[in-house]
Amino acid sequence: MLRSLKQTIPALATSDGAGVRIKRSLGQRQSVRMDPFLMLDEFGSDQPQDYIAGFPAHPHRGFETITYMIEGHMLHEDHLGNRGNLRNGGVQWMTAGRGIVHSEMPQQESGVMRGFQLWLNLPAAEKMKPAGYRDIQPEEIPIARQPGVSVRVIAGELEIGGGAVTGAVTGGSTEPVYADVHLEPGARVSLPVPQALNALVYLYEGLASLVSEDRNQALVPSSANILDQGDEVLIEGGEAGAKLLLIAGRPIGEPVVQYGPFVMNTTAEIEQALADYRDGTLTV
């Protein structure tokens, strides 16, 4: 059954970190989420003042962050001694778990800085697991191609053009799917997504439509286009083609209590996270 468009959440302009200009769809308010995803930010500018201050050292607990760079370079450093330079087409998959303190700083003084950051919640049983991260280089991300279509599979497994493509990241209790889909004008791509997963499409360049059983629905640019139930996503590129993200995951179905960079299940757990950060034991 083809998935149709259920809800559109336009991204709102805001800033984060030390004044980095972003557009936020999921997470613009704490009630605006799609389980298991907490936040989706798009950043992109060719004006250094919009990004140069970056994200100095800050803490996290209870979830994962996935940073996908399309253009530009970003240096990541954390309290574990990890250090990695994200470059065009690369991904950083960071598990905050029990606690991590890290920074994300642009490594250029001019040019375009563009990409996305996605926050993926962890179930209660995994929120206090050890922190860690993985830098995924562009060449590690498989690309599936068919006429007029290319799909970079960052996470999960997708059936494309009759063949299964396994992403750079697999597994996990939420079974995340994350793909960057490029369509030439008028091209169509069918992407099976299991019924059990919540799914959205984020159109970041060009125009495209979602083809459902009885109609075509235009995808709204720079918005989280939340999809209805089904097991297949069929997308058609517009006159100038399109670039979009497909994001899906198994809902956790647990209470979410968030205070800034801490995401837990109860208020008491948030208070403990704040106390641990004040006491210097967040990451111990």
Side-chain angles (χ1 to χ4, degrees), residues 1 36 52 57 61 84 88 95 103 109 132 138 161 169 174 179 228 234 239 242 270:
M1 181 173 130
I52 200 67
R61 174 178 279 181
N88 295 12
T95 301
S103 63
E109 296 181 0
V169 175
T174 56
D228 217 331
L234 182 57
E239 291 182 359
I270 291 292

Side-chain angles (χ1 to χ4, degrees), residues 256-278:
V256 176
V257 180
Q258 179 178 354
Y259 183 85
F262 305 129
V263 182
M264 303 301 288
N265 297 98
T266 68
T267 302
E269 290 171 334
I270 291 292
E271 291 172 350
Q272 185 64 56
L274 289 166
D276 290 346
Y277 185 53
R278 285 194 303 267

Side-chain angles (χ1 to χ4, degrees), residues 16-31:
D16 209 336
V20 178
R21 293 184 180 273
I22 59 174
K23 291 190 288 187
R24 178 168 293 165
S25 51
L26 300 184
Q28 58 190 243
R29 299 187 308 279
Q30 291 195 10
S31 59

